[in-house]
Amino acid sequence: MPESKRIKIVTEADDTPIAADAAPEEAAAVDTPGKPHEPTAEERLREMEDRLAAKQKEYDETHGKLLRVSAEFENYRKRTAREMDDFRKYAVQSLLKEMLSAVDHIELAIQAAACNCAEDKHLTEGLNLTLKELLRIFEKFNVMPIEAVGRPFNPEFHEAILREESGEFPENTVLREMQKGYMIGNRLLRPALVVVAAPGVQPGNQPNTPRCSNTGQ
């Protein structure tokens, strides 16, 4: 019998003859022609690194969105709290502004009583008590009078209705209040109506003008 006898094997997938004495690796390669390629360790590592980089990018984008949403919510919360605080402070602003006219009339009545030297002191005391109570209510709502007399004219808080020559005060100094101004919190509730000093009269030459004392103010 010949030493190397070849046997021809024909399959449906391939009709190439395979030698009987062919190596096992070659026979296995021919028997499984559609076997997928097995990735190497380096390829698998590179694939894992790519996946990790994609996940890290996705995390960074999500984290950035979360930070922006958190910042927007915090700004919204602060803005809402500030608006609510302003609402509580200034909700009664219109009512308090209307009540200022009553304060003005009481102060005028007290001045008139003092100038006329009224004998009825009980009336004056009653007016002073009423004024004191009203001012206490105003203070409760953070309404405070504006200090104007003797201070430089400030158009943000004062409204000048007259300029008067004065040698006692520098120019643009408030000489008198014709109507008190008030603040509510940090807002102007009503400007003060004032008389402002103008240059022209030397010290000692200013005429003496009788004036009622501001009792009760």
mmCIF file of all heavy atoms in Angstrom, residues 98-146:
data_model
loop_
_atom_site.group_PDB
_atom_site.id
_atom_site.type_symbol
_atom_site.label_atom_id
_atom_site.label_comp_id
_atom_site.label_asym_id
_atom_site.label_seq_id
_atom_site.Cartn_x
_atom_site.Cartn_y
_atom_site.Cartn_z
ATOM 1 N N GLU A 98 -51.521 107.419 52.650
ATOM 2 C CA GLU A 98 -52.744 108.189 52.872
ATOM 3 C C GLU A 98 -52.835 108.661 54.321
ATOM 4 O O GLU A 98 -53.359 109.755 54.599
ATOM 5 C CB GLU A 98 -53.965 107.334 52.521
ATOM 6 C CG GLU A 98 -54.105 107.009 51.039
ATOM 7 C CD GLU A 98 -54.338 108.263 50.199
ATOM 8 O OE1 GLU A 98 -54.981 109.206 50.714
ATOM 9 O OE2 GLU A 98 -53.871 108.295 49.051
ATOM 10 N N MET A 99 -52.316 107.856 55.235
ATOM 11 C CA MET A 99 -52.379 108.235 56.643
ATOM 12 C C MET A 99 -51.445 109.397 56.977
ATOM 13 O O MET A 99 -51.610 110.053 58.017
ATOM 14 C CB MET A 99 -52.025 107.026 57.524
ATOM 15 C CG MET A 99 -53.076 105.928 57.513
ATOM 16 S SD MET A 99 -52.557 104.492 58.499
ATOM 17 C CE MET A 99 -52.449 105.241 60.137
ATOM 18 N N LEU A 100 -50.486 109.675 56.124
ATOM 19 C CA LEU A 100 -49.563 110.781 56.388
ATOM 20 C C LEU A 100 -50.282 112.128 56.433
ATOM 21 O O LEU A 100 -49.872 113.036 57.162
ATOM 22 C CB LEU A 100 -48.464 110.820 55.321
ATOM 23 C CG LEU A 100 -47.449 109.680 55.354
ATOM 24 C CD1 LEU A 100 -46.452 109.821 54.221
ATOM 25 C CD2 LEU A 100 -46.733 109.646 56.690
ATOM 26 N N SER A 101 -51.356 112.271 55.681
ATOM 27 C CA SER A 101 -52.100 113.532 55.707
ATOM 28 C C SER A 101 -52.713 113.769 57.091
ATOM 29 O O SER A 101 -52.769 114.909 57.574
ATOM 30 C CB SER A 101 -53.195 113.531 54.634
ATOM 31 O OG SER A 101 -54.108 112.466 54.855
ATOM 32 N N ALA A 102 -53.149 112.676 57.749
ATOM 33 C CA ALA A 102 -53.688 112.824 59.098
ATOM 34 C C ALA A 102 -52.594 113.276 60.061
ATOM 35 O O ALA A 102 -52.827 114.126 60.936
ATOM 36 C CB ALA A 102 -54.298 111.502 59.565
ATOM 37 N N VAL A 103 -51.394 112.742 59.897
ATOM 38 C CA VAL A 103 -50.267 113.164 60.729
ATOM 39 C C VAL A 103 -49.968 114.641 60.496
ATOM 40 O O VAL A 103 -49.710 115.402 61.440
ATOM 41 C CB VAL A 103 -49.035 112.286 60.423
ATOM 42 C CG1 VAL A 103 -47.806 112.805 61.155
ATOM 43 C CG2 VAL A 103 -49.299 110.842 60.811
ATOM 44 N N ASP A 104 -49.999 115.065 59.239
ATOM 45 C CA ASP A 104 -49.732 116.474 58.925
ATOM 46 C C ASP A 104 -50.734 117.388 59.621
ATOM 47 O O ASP A 104 -50.368 118.427 60.201
ATOM 48 C CB ASP A 104 -49.790 116.697 57.410
ATOM 49 C CG ASP A 104 -48.687 115.952 56.675
ATOM 50 O OD1 ASP A 104 -47.651 115.655 57.310
ATOM 51 O OD2 ASP A 104 -48.860 115.674 55.474
ATOM 52 N N HIS A 105 -52.005 117.030 59.585
ATOM 53 C CA HIS A 105 -53.037 117.872 60.195
ATOM 54 C C HIS A 105 -52.887 117.925 61.724
ATOM 55 O O HIS A 105 -53.083 118.984 62.334
ATOM 56 C CB HIS A 105 -54.430 117.352 59.817
ATOM 57 C CG HIS A 105 -54.774 117.588 58.377
ATOM 58 N ND1 HIS A 105 -55.127 116.556 57.541
ATOM 59 C CD2 HIS A 105 -54.799 118.712 57.618
ATOM 60 C CE1 HIS A 105 -55.370 117.036 56.333
ATOM 61 N NE2 HIS A 105 -55.180 118.354 56.357
ATOM 62 N N ILE A 106 -52.533 116.805 62.311
ATOM 63 C CA ILE A 106 -52.340 116.796 63.767
ATOM 64 C C ILE A 106 -51.153 117.679 64.141
ATOM 65 O O ILE A 106 -51.202 118.448 65.119
ATOM 66 C CB ILE A 106 -52.146 115.357 64.274
ATOM 67 C CG1 ILE A 106 -53.444 114.560 64.080
ATOM 68 C CG2 ILE A 106 -51.734 115.345 65.733
ATOM 69 C CD1 ILE A 106 -53.312 113.094 64.439
ATOM 70 N N GLU A 107 -50.073 117.599 63.379
ATOM 71 C CA GLU A 107 -48.901 118.436 63.660
ATOM 72 C C GLU A 107 -49.242 119.914 63.505
ATOM 73 O O GLU A 107 -48.808 120.764 64.315
ATOM 74 C CB GLU A 107 -47.749 118.048 62.736
ATOM 75 C CG GLU A 107 -47.148 116.685 63.060
ATOM 76 C CD GLU A 107 -46.060 116.285 62.079
ATOM 77 O OE1 GLU A 107 -45.989 116.867 60.976
ATOM 78 O OE2 GLU A 107 -45.277 115.378 62.409
ATOM 79 N N LEU A 108 -50.024 120.262 62.479
ATOM 80 C CA LEU A 108 -50.435 121.661 62.305
ATOM 81 C C LEU A 108 -51.315 122.125 63.462
ATOM 82 O O LEU A 108 -51.207 123.272 63.919
ATOM 83 C CB LEU A 108 -51.170 121.818 60.975
ATOM 84 C CG LEU A 108 -50.316 121.678 59.703
ATOM 85 C CD1 LEU A 108 -51.200 121.721 58.463
ATOM 86 C CD2 LEU A 108 -49.270 122.785 59.642
ATOM 87 N N ALA A 109 -52.195 121.249 63.937
ATOM 88 C CA ALA A 109 -53.050 121.605 65.069
ATOM 89 C C ALA A 109 -52.224 121.835 66.329
ATOM 90 O O ALA A 109 -52.483 122.775 67.097
ATOM 91 C CB ALA A 109 -54.083 120.500 65.302
ATOM 92 N N ILE A 110 -51.201 121.026 66.533
ATOM 93 C CA ILE A 110 -50.330 121.209 67.699
ATOM 94 C C ILE A 110 -49.570 122.530 67.604
ATOM 95 O O ILE A 110 -49.445 123.274 68.588
ATOM 96 C CB ILE A 110 -49.367 120.014 67.818
ATOM 97 C CG1 ILE A 110 -50.139 118.736 68.153
ATOM 98 C CG2 ILE A 110 -48.306 120.278 68.878
ATOM 99 C CD1 ILE A 110 -49.292 117.474 68.134
ATOM 100 N N GLN A 111 -49.078 122.861 66.412
ATOM 101 C CA GLN A 111 -48.367 124.130 66.225
ATOM 102 C C GLN A 111 -49.289 125.324 66.448
ATOM 103 O O GLN A 111 -48.903 126.316 67.078
ATOM 104 C CB GLN A 111 -47.766 124.181 64.814
ATOM 105 C CG GLN A 111 -46.652 123.186 64.568
ATOM 106 C CD GLN A 111 -46.152 123.233 63.139
ATOM 107 O OE1 GLN A 111 -46.364 124.211 62.428
ATOM 108 N NE2 GLN A 111 -45.489 122.173 62.720
ATOM 109 N N ALA A 112 -50.512 125.220 65.929
ATOM 110 C CA ALA A 112 -51.464 126.313 66.110
ATOM 111 C C ALA A 112 -51.814 126.506 67.574
ATOM 112 O O ALA A 112 -51.923 127.640 68.066
ATOM 113 C CB ALA A 112 -52.724 126.043 65.291
ATOM 114 N N ALA A 113 -51.971 125.405 68.297
ATOM 115 C CA ALA A 113 -52.286 125.501 69.715
ATOM 116 C C ALA A 113 -51.136 126.140 70.478
ATOM 117 O O ALA A 113 -51.347 126.936 71.400
ATOM 118 C CB ALA A 113 -52.596 124.113 70.269
ATOM 119 N N ALA A 114 -49.907 125.822 70.084
ATOM 120 C CA ALA A 114 -48.750 126.394 70.760
ATOM 121 C C ALA A 114 -48.614 127.883 70.451
ATOM 122 O O ALA A 114 -48.278 128.685 71.327
ATOM 123 C CB ALA A 114 -47.486 125.648 70.352
ATOM 124 N N CYS A 115 -48.877 128.277 69.208
ATOM 125 C CA CYS A 115 -48.754 129.683 68.819
ATOM 126 C C CYS A 115 -49.852 130.543 69.456
ATOM 127 O O CYS A 115 -49.623 131.705 69.787
ATOM 128 C CB CYS A 115 -48.816 129.812 67.307
ATOM 129 S SG CYS A 115 -47.325 129.220 66.485
ATOM 130 N N ASN A 116 -51.034 129.986 69.600
ATOM 131 C CA ASN A 116 -52.155 130.738 70.170
ATOM 132 C C ASN A 116 -52.170 130.694 71.691
ATOM 133 O O ASN A 116 -53.058 131.295 72.323
ATOM 134 C CB ASN A 116 -53.486 130.190 69.644
ATOM 135 C CG ASN A 116 -53.630 130.422 68.140
ATOM 136 O OD1 ASN A 116 -53.072 131.393 67.616
ATOM 137 N ND2 ASN A 116 -54.358 129.551 67.477
ATOM 138 N N CYS A 117 -51.189 129.970 72.248
ATOM 139 C CA CYS A 117 -51.120 129.850 73.712
ATOM 140 C C CYS A 117 -52.467 129.402 74.285
ATOM 141 O O CYS A 117 -53.037 130.038 75.190
ATOM 142 C CB CYS A 117 -50.695 131.176 74.350
ATOM 143 S SG CYS A 117 -49.067 131.743 73.821
ATOM 144 N N ALA A 118 -52.979 128.368 73.728
ATOM 145 C CA ALA A 118 -54.300 127.880 74.131
ATOM 146 C C ALA A 118 -54.284 127.467 75.595
ATOM 147 O O ALA A 118 -53.331 126.873 76.096
ATOM 148 C CB ALA A 118 -54.713 126.690 73.250
ATOM 149 N N GLU A 119 -55.379 127.818 76.278
ATOM 150 C CA GLU A 119 -55.473 127.489 77.691
ATOM 151 C C GLU A 119 -55.849 126.024 77.908
ATOM 152 O O GLU A 119 -55.588 125.470 78.965
ATOM 153 C CB GLU A 119 -56.505 128.392 78.363
ATOM 154 C CG GLU A 119 -56.122 129.868 78.341
ATOM 155 C CD GLU A 119 -57.156 130.725 79.023
ATOM 156 O OE1 GLU A 119 -58.187 130.149 79.463
ATOM 157 O OE2 GLU A 119 -56.954 131.946 79.111
ATOM 158 N N ASP A 120 -56.482 125.446 76.896
ATOM 159 C CA ASP A 120 -56.911 124.057 77.031
ATOM 160 C C ASP A 120 -55.716 123.144 76.769
ATOM 161 O O ASP A 120 -55.467 122.712 75.634
ATOM 162 C CB ASP A 120 -58.057 123.755 76.066
ATOM 163 C CG ASP A 120 -58.729 122.422 76.379
ATOM 164 O OD1 ASP A 120 -58.214 121.703 77.270
ATOM 165 O OD2 ASP A 120 -59.736 122.104 75.734
ATOM 166 N N LYS A 121 -54.952 122.863 77.803
ATOM 167 C CA LYS A 121 -53.774 122.019 77.642
ATOM 168 C C LYS A 121 -54.150 120.570 77.406
ATOM 169 O O LYS A 121 -53.367 119.802 76.816
ATOM 170 C CB LYS A 121 -52.900 122.126 78.881
ATOM 171 C CG LYS A 121 -52.319 123.520 79.090
ATOM 172 C CD LYS A 121 -51.406 123.537 80.300
ATOM 173 C CE LYS A 121 -50.800 124.936 80.501
ATOM 174 N NZ LYS A 121 -49.912 124.980 81.683
ATOM 175 N N HIS A 122 -55.344 120.191 77.830
ATOM 176 C CA HIS A 122 -55.762 118.799 77.630
ATOM 177 C C HIS A 122 -55.891 118.480 76.137
ATOM 178 O O HIS A 122 -55.573 117.371 75.711
ATOM 179 C CB HIS A 122 -57.083 118.530 78.346
ATOM 180 C CG HIS A 122 -56.973 118.679 79.840
ATOM 181 N ND1 HIS A 122 -56.260 117.790 80.618
ATOM 182 C CD2 HIS A 122 -57.496 119.615 80.687
ATOM 183 C CE1 HIS A 122 -56.340 118.157 81.894
ATOM 184 N NE2 HIS A 122 -57.090 119.262 81.954
ATOM 185 N N LEU A 123 -56.356 119.469 75.376
ATOM 186 C CA LEU A 123 -56.476 119.256 73.929
ATOM 187 C C LEU A 123 -55.101 119.046 73.297
ATOM 188 O O LEU A 123 -54.908 118.133 72.482
ATOM 189 C CB LEU A 123 -57.184 120.444 73.285
ATOM 190 C CG LEU A 123 -57.281 120.417 71.755
ATOM 191 C CD1 LEU A 123 -58.067 119.188 71.293
ATOM 192 C CD2 LEU A 123 -57.927 121.701 71.236
ATOM 193 N N THR A 124 -54.154 119.887 73.697
ATOM 194 C CA THR A 124 -52.802 119.751 73.154
ATOM 195 C C THR A 124 -52.183 118.417 73.547
ATOM 196 O O THR A 124 -51.525 117.746 72.734
ATOM 197 C CB THR A 124 -51.915 120.907 73.656
ATOM 198 O OG1 THR A 124 -52.536 122.156 73.331
ATOM 199 C CG2 THR A 124 -50.540 120.843 73.022
ATOM 200 N N GLU A 125 -52.393 118.018 74.786
ATOM 201 C CA GLU A 125 -51.860 116.736 75.234
ATOM 202 C C GLU A 125 -52.491 115.580 74.470
ATOM 203 O O GLU A 125 -51.815 114.607 74.102
ATOM 204 C CB GLU A 125 -52.101 116.567 76.731
ATOM 205 C CG GLU A 125 -51.279 117.514 77.600
ATOM 206 C CD GLU A 125 -51.625 117.372 79.073
ATOM 207 O OE1 GLU A 125 -52.547 116.573 79.392
ATOM 208 O OE2 GLU A 125 -51.006 118.067 79.892
ATOM 209 N N GLY A 126 -53.791 115.712 74.222
ATOM 210 C CA GLY A 126 -54.475 114.663 73.462
ATOM 211 C C GLY A 126 -53.942 114.569 72.034
ATOM 212 O O GLY A 126 -53.756 113.462 71.503
ATOM 213 N N LEU A 127 -53.692 115.722 71.433
ATOM 214 C CA LEU A 127 -53.136 115.721 70.072
ATOM 215 C C LEU A 127 -51.743 115.101 70.051
ATOM 216 O O LEU A 127 -51.404 114.330 69.148
ATOM 217 C CB LEU A 127 -53.094 117.145 69.520
ATOM 218 C CG LEU A 127 -54.450 117.785 69.197
ATOM 219 C CD1 LEU A 127 -54.275 119.244 68.827
ATOM 220 C CD2 LEU A 127 -55.145 117.034 68.060
ATOM 221 N N ASN A 128 -50.944 115.442 71.053
ATOM 222 C CA ASN A 128 -49.593 114.880 71.121
ATOM 223 C C ASN A 128 -49.627 113.366 71.309
ATOM 224 O O ASN A 128 -48.834 112.629 70.708
ATOM 225 C CB ASN A 128 -48.805 115.531 72.264
ATOM 226 C CG ASN A 128 -48.252 116.888 71.873
ATOM 227 O OD1 ASN A 128 -47.699 117.055 70.790
ATOM 228 N ND2 ASN A 128 -48.393 117.871 72.751
ATOM 229 N N LEU A 129 -50.541 112.889 72.132
ATOM 230 C CA LEU A 129 -50.660 111.454 72.336
ATOM 231 C C LEU A 129 -51.110 110.748 71.051
ATOM 232 O O LEU A 129 -50.626 109.661 70.719
ATOM 233 C CB LEU A 129 -51.642 111.167 73.472
ATOM 234 C CG LEU A 129 -51.156 111.521 74.882
ATOM 235 C CD1 LEU A 129 -52.281 111.310 75.898
ATOM 236 C CD2 LEU A 129 -49.939 110.676 75.250
ATOM 237 N N THR A 130 -52.064 111.383 70.354
ATOM 238 C CA THR A 130 -52.528 110.802 69.084
ATOM 239 C C THR A 130 -51.397 110.740 68.070
ATOM 240 O O THR A 130 -51.201 109.732 67.378
ATOM 241 C CB THR A 130 -53.692 111.611 68.518
ATOM 242 O OG1 THR A 130 -54.740 111.677 69.483
ATOM 243 C CG2 THR A 130 -54.221 110.982 67.240
ATOM 244 N N LEU A 131 -50.627 111.835 67.982
ATOM 245 C CA LEU A 131 -49.494 111.861 67.056
ATOM 246 C C LEU A 131 -48.459 110.805 67.432
ATOM 247 O O LEU A 131 -47.928 110.090 66.561
ATOM 248 C CB LEU A 131 -48.861 113.249 67.066
ATOM 249 C CG LEU A 131 -47.619 113.424 66.183
ATOM 250 C CD1 LEU A 131 -47.955 113.175 64.724
ATOM 251 C CD2 LEU A 131 -47.031 114.817 66.372
ATOM 252 N N LYS A 132 -48.191 110.679 68.702
ATOM 253 C CA LYS A 132 -47.222 109.693 69.159
ATOM 254 C C LYS A 132 -47.661 108.278 68.809
ATOM 255 O O LYS A 132 -46.849 107.429 68.401
ATOM 256 C CB LYS A 132 -47.029 109.834 70.669
ATOM 257 C CG LYS A 132 -45.958 108.923 71.242
ATOM 258 C CD LYS A 132 -45.792 109.173 72.731
ATOM 259 C CE LYS A 132 -44.730 108.255 73.323
ATOM 260 N NZ LYS A 132 -44.543 108.490 74.788
ATOM 261 N N GLU A 133 -48.956 108.000 68.940
ATOM 262 C CA GLU A 133 -49.472 106.673 68.627
ATOM 263 C C GLU A 133 -49.373 106.388 67.129
ATOM 264 O O GLU A 133 -49.012 105.274 66.712
ATOM 265 C CB GLU A 133 -50.916 106.547 69.096
ATOM 266 C CG GLU A 133 -51.557 105.185 68.850
ATOM 267 C CD GLU A 133 -50.868 104.072 69.617
ATOM 268 O OE1 GLU A 133 -50.137 104.360 70.585
ATOM 269 O OE2 GLU A 133 -51.069 102.894 69.245
ATOM 270 N N LEU A 134 -49.709 107.385 66.325
ATOM 271 C CA LEU A 134 -49.599 107.197 64.873
ATOM 272 C C LEU A 134 -48.151 106.936 64.459
ATOM 273 O O LEU A 134 -47.873 106.055 63.623
ATOM 274 C CB LEU A 134 -50.146 108.424 64.146
ATOM 275 C CG LEU A 134 -51.664 108.566 64.098
ATOM 276 C CD1 LEU A 134 -52.057 109.904 63.484
ATOM 277 C CD2 LEU A 134 -52.283 107.416 63.298
ATOM 278 N N LEU A 135 -47.230 107.689 65.027
ATOM 279 C CA LEU A 135 -45.819 107.484 64.700
ATOM 280 C C LEU A 135 -45.337 106.114 65.162
ATOM 281 O O LEU A 135 -44.465 105.504 64.528
ATOM 282 C CB LEU A 135 -44.971 108.590 65.320
ATOM 283 C CG LEU A 135 -45.224 110.006 64.764
ATOM 284 C CD1 LEU A 135 -44.347 111.024 65.475
ATOM 285 C CD2 LEU A 135 -44.975 110.049 63.248
ATOM 286 N N ARG A 136 -45.903 105.634 66.274
ATOM 287 C CA ARG A 136 -45.542 104.291 66.738
ATOM 288 C C ARG A 136 -46.005 103.235 65.741
ATOM 289 O O ARG A 136 -45.290 102.263 65.456
ATOM 290 C CB ARG A 136 -46.169 104.029 68.113
ATOM 291 C CG ARG A 136 -45.726 102.712 68.750
ATOM 292 C CD ARG A 136 -46.597 102.362 69.942
ATOM 293 N NE ARG A 136 -47.970 102.090 69.533
ATOM 294 C CZ ARG A 136 -48.375 100.932 69.015
ATOM 295 N NH1 ARG A 136 -47.506 99.939 68.832
ATOM 296 N NH2 ARG A 136 -49.637 100.751 68.672
ATOM 297 N N ILE A 137 -47.208 103.435 65.203
ATOM 298 C CA ILE A 137 -47.714 102.492 64.189
ATOM 299 C C ILE A 137 -46.849 102.556 62.944
ATOM 300 O O ILE A 137 -46.510 101.520 62.350
ATOM 301 C CB ILE A 137 -49.186 102.814 63.860
ATOM 302 C CG1 ILE A 137 -50.064 102.575 65.091
ATOM 303 C CG2 ILE A 137 -49.671 101.969 62.688
ATOM 304 C CD1 ILE A 137 -51.513 103.010 64.914
ATOM 305 N N PHE A 138 -46.460 103.766 62.541
ATOM 306 C CA PHE A 138 -45.589 103.898 61.374
ATOM 307 C C PHE A 138 -44.262 103.180 61.601
ATOM 308 O O PHE A 138 -43.750 102.499 60.708
ATOM 309 C CB PHE A 138 -45.331 105.374 61.077
ATOM 310 C CG PHE A 138 -46.472 106.063 60.381
ATOM 311 C CD1 PHE A 138 -46.425 107.415 60.110
ATOM 312 C CD2 PHE A 138 -47.593 105.357 59.989
ATOM 313 C CE1 PHE A 138 -47.465 108.051 59.471
ATOM 314 C CE2 PHE A 138 -48.643 105.972 59.349
ATOM 315 C CZ PHE A 138 -48.586 107.327 59.089
ATOM 316 N N GLU A 139 -43.713 103.348 62.784
ATOM 317 C CA GLU A 139 -42.433 102.705 63.083
ATOM 318 C C GLU A 139 -42.556 101.189 63.040
ATOM 319 O O GLU A 139 -41.620 100.492 62.638
ATOM 320 C CB GLU A 139 -41.941 103.163 64.462
ATOM 321 C CG GLU A 139 -40.543 102.661 64.806
ATOM 322 C CD GLU A 139 -40.054 103.214 66.123
ATOM 323 O OE1 GLU A 139 -40.760 104.056 66.725
ATOM 324 O OE2 GLU A 139 -38.963 102.799 66.564
ATOM 325 N N LYS A 140 -43.713 100.680 63.440
ATOM 326 C CA LYS A 140 -43.951 99.235 63.395
ATOM 327 C C LYS A 140 -43.865 98.713 61.974
ATOM 328 O O LYS A 140 -43.422 97.580 61.738
ATOM 329 C CB LYS A 140 -45.323 98.929 64.005
ATOM 330 C CG LYS A 140 -45.668 97.449 64.047
ATOM 331 C CD LYS A 140 -47.033 97.243 64.688
ATOM 332 C CE LYS A 140 -47.412 95.767 64.713
ATOM 333 N NZ LYS A 140 -48.750 95.553 65.324
ATOM 334 N N PHE A 141 -44.284 99.528 61.013
ATOM 335 C CA PHE A 141 -44.223 99.154 59.603
ATOM 336 C C PHE A 141 -42.979 99.724 58.917
ATOM 337 O O PHE A 141 -42.938 99.839 57.692
ATOM 338 C CB PHE A 141 -45.486 99.617 58.873
ATOM 339 C CG PHE A 141 -46.708 98.816 59.223
ATOM 340 C CD1 PHE A 141 -47.572 99.260 60.217
ATOM 341 C CD2 PHE A 141 -46.979 97.622 58.581
ATOM 342 C CE1 PHE A 141 -48.710 98.528 60.552
ATOM 343 C CE2 PHE A 141 -48.110 96.892 58.907
ATOM 344 C CZ PHE A 141 -48.968 97.342 59.902
ATOM 345 N N ASN A 142 -41.990 100.074 59.723
ATOM 346 C CA ASN A 142 -40.692 100.528 59.217
ATOM 347 C C ASN A 142 -40.809 101.838 58.438
ATOM 348 O O ASN A 142 -40.070 102.067 57.471
ATOM 349 C CB ASN A 142 -40.052 99.451 58.336
ATOM 350 C CG ASN A 142 -38.541 99.560 58.298
ATOM 351 O OD1 ASN A 142 -37.931 100.146 59.190
ATOM 352 N ND2 ASN A 142 -37.931 99.011 57.267
ATOM 353 N N VAL A 143 -41.719 102.688 58.855
ATOM 354 C CA VAL A 143 -41.870 104.023 58.253
ATOM 355 C C VAL A 143 -41.203 105.032 59.185
ATOM 356 O O VAL A 143 -41.582 105.152 60.351
ATOM 357 C CB VAL A 143 -43.353 104.387 58.049
ATOM 358 C CG1 VAL A 143 -43.494 105.809 57.516
ATOM 359 C CG2 VAL A 143 -44.002 103.396 57.088
ATOM 360 N N MET A 144 -40.201 105.733 58.657
ATOM 361 C CA MET A 144 -39.437 106.672 59.462
ATOM 362 C C MET A 144 -39.369 108.023 58.766
ATOM 363 O O MET A 144 -39.284 108.095 57.536
ATOM 364 C CB MET A 144 -38.015 106.143 59.699
ATOM 365 C CG MET A 144 -37.956 104.790 60.384
ATOM 366 S SD MET A 144 -38.670 104.811 62.041
ATOM 367 C CE MET A 144 -37.499 105.869 62.875
ATOM 368 N N PRO A 145 -39.401 109.127 59.554
ATOM 369 C CA PRO A 145 -39.296 110.459 58.942
ATOM 370 C C PRO A 145 -37.893 110.718 58.404
ATOM 371 O O PRO A 145 -36.902 110.162 58.892
ATOM 372 C CB PRO A 145 -39.629 111.407 60.102
ATOM 373 C CG PRO A 145 -39.307 110.627 61.332
ATOM 374 C CD PRO A 145 -39.588 109.201 61.009
ATOM 375 N N ILE A 146 -37.816 111.550 57.386
ATOM 376 C CA ILE A 146 -36.538 111.927 56.783
ATOM 377 C C ILE A 146 -35.993 113.156 57.504
ATOM 378 O O ILE A 146 -36.699 114.162 57.645
ATOM 379 C CB ILE A 146 -36.703 112.228 55.279
ATOM 380 C CG1 ILE A 146 -37.173 110.974 54.546
ATOM 381 C CG2 ILE A 146 -35.406 112.742 54.676
ATOM 382 C CD1 ILE A 146 -37.518 111.225 53.085
#
